[in-house]
Amino acid sequence: MLGNSSGPKDLSIVVITRNRSEQCARMCAILEGQLRQHPPLRVEIILVFDGCGRYDWVRDQQLYRTVQLPCQLGIAGARNVGLDRAGSPVVAFLDDDALPADTWLSSLLRGLAAYPHHIAFGGRVIGHDGTNLYAQLRDLVYYFEMFGSWYVNDSDTSDMPGTPYVNGGNAAYRRPALVSAGGFNRVLPADSDGEMGRRLDLRAHGVLLAGMSIRHDHPAAFHIYMERCLRSGKARALIWRGRRYREHSPLSVLRAIMRNILWNNYVRARRLSRHRARAAAVLFCQEVTHGYGYTASLLQHQQIRHLFA
């Protein structure tokens, strides 16, 4: 059942969007097609406009629920608004410029039934097409090291329980667990999904589902990649300040950066079939930028006394 008719829902799909009318329309069209394949399913699609105007193509209020925020809250804050408006026991989140696989919805429904005691579900985020170096680095370095070879191997049709977190742009949560955790941390400039994974202990309660994948084209620009690294460093400092996970301590971060510069980045660059020297240079800049963001955030929040704790 598509639409915003009264009565309980089985699934809420929250899409945060900002000035991406064409991409969002494309993604929603894919969703609509998949929903029509499951006519008994009662679904609501909630579009949260994060400080931007509503798109012209969003006319049918029987099909979408819309929330128009007067100012930009950022991805975590806007997702919390969508969570508050959701009226079902399961809330899924999708990026507005994602391309869900044909099996996205059916895989999610399968996972909800197959793992009744799990509280978070995710899948692959595919960005590597062989031409975008920064997408390759995210896929073959970050995702590979975080989730293992399963994440970058589309041919593996098994599920992967025990995930450290589920990617915020391709995720679903059982709503009571997410609400009990207080929603996403809107203070963090990045990694709100990773921090949520720690709070919910998704190593024990999360699963990545084969088939629940999206294609998401990462920007092919050096400065955007560096901005992401800067935000990541700032987020780690804020996480350390708030909850003090050992791996985010200043000493642990410094050691990790030095290991990456002295050895790990060489190994990482070797995973690429070409442009290895360029990849190594980008990875070096990544570590420096990450460390700068971490240190600047610590100093900004007057956490000097913790530098060697």
Side-chain angles (χ1 to χ4, degrees), residues 1 33-43 105-107 109:
M1 178 186 298
Q34 295 188 25
L35 291 171
R36 292 191 184 96
Q37 299 173 17
H38 301 272
L41 191 66
R42 298 168 298 181
V43 176
L105 179 60
S106 60
S107 297
L109 297 177

Side-chain angles (χ1 to χ4, degrees), residues 9-240:
K9 302 294 188 294
D10 301 312
L11 173 66
S12 299
I13 301 175
V14 176
V15 179
I16 312 303
T17 187
R18 178 176 170 84
N19 298 326
R20 283 177 173 163
S21 176
E22 184 177 342
Q23 296 98 318
C24 188
R26 179 181 59 181
M27 192 273 294
C28 286
I30 294 173
L31 271 185
E32 292 172 28
Q34 295 188 25
L35 291 171
R36 292 191 184 96
Q37 299 173 17
H38 301 272
L41 191 66
R42 298 168 298 181
V43 176
E44 60 180 359
I45 301 176
I46 303 173
L47 296 180
V48 181
F49 293 91
D50 190 17
C52 69
R54 195 177 71 167
Y55 306 145
D56 291 340
W57 57 267
V58 185
R59 300 185 183 93
D60 187 354
Q61 291 302 310
Q62 295 303 310
L63 186 57
Y64 300 105
R65 292 180 61 192
T66 61
V67 182
Q68 196 161 354
L69 302 179
C71 60
Q72 185 179 7
L73 292 184
I75 192 68
R79 282 175 181 156
N80 286 339
V81 172
L83 174 64
D84 290 340
R85 303 296 177 89
S88 73
V90 177
V91 183
F93 297 91
L94 279 170
D95 279 348
D96 59 354
D97 58 346
L99 292 177
D102 293 341
T103 54
W104 184 86
L105 179 60
S106 60
S107 297
L108 172 57
L109 297 177
R110 174 184 63 78
L112 291 169
Y115 302 94
H117 302 298
H118 284 64
I119 60 177
F121 306 84
R124 298 178 176 95
V125 176
I126 303 168
H128 169 42
D129 62 0
T131 61
N132 182 341
L133 174 63
Y134 307 106
Q136 291 182 64
L137 291 177
R138 284 189 66 79
D139 283 7
L140 300 180
V141 175
Y142 181 77
Y143 288 150
F144 177 83
E145 293 176 3
M146 181 64 64
F147 300 106
S149 59
W150 179 95
Y151 206 84
V152 294
N153 183 8
D154 253 349
S155 62
D156 190 338
T157 59
S158 61
D159 298 330
M160 194 186 91
T163 177
Y165 71 91
V166 290
N167 191 300
N170 180 29
Y173 295 84
R174 298 197 191 272
R175 188 176 185 275
L178 195 53
V179 170
S180 296
F184 298 97
N185 188 340
R186 60 171 296 185
V187 174
L188 298 180
D191 200 32
S192 61
D193 44 4
E195 191 265 347
M196 175 59 70
R198 289 295 299 265
R199 276 192 280 149
L200 291 179
D201 188 20
L202 294 192
R203 287 285 190 188
H205 303 110
V207 58
L208 298 180
L209 302 171
M212 187 183 164
S213 60
I214 63 169
R215 178 163 290 280
H216 188 270
D217 293 330
H218 299 295
F222 176 77
H223 74 279
I224 295 178
Y225 189 81
M226 288 299 110
E227 287 172 3
R228 183 186 294 271
C229 297
L230 183 68
R231 292 196 303 270
S232 176
K234 291 180 177 179
R236 288 189 74 180
L238 289 170
I239 293 172
W240 163 250

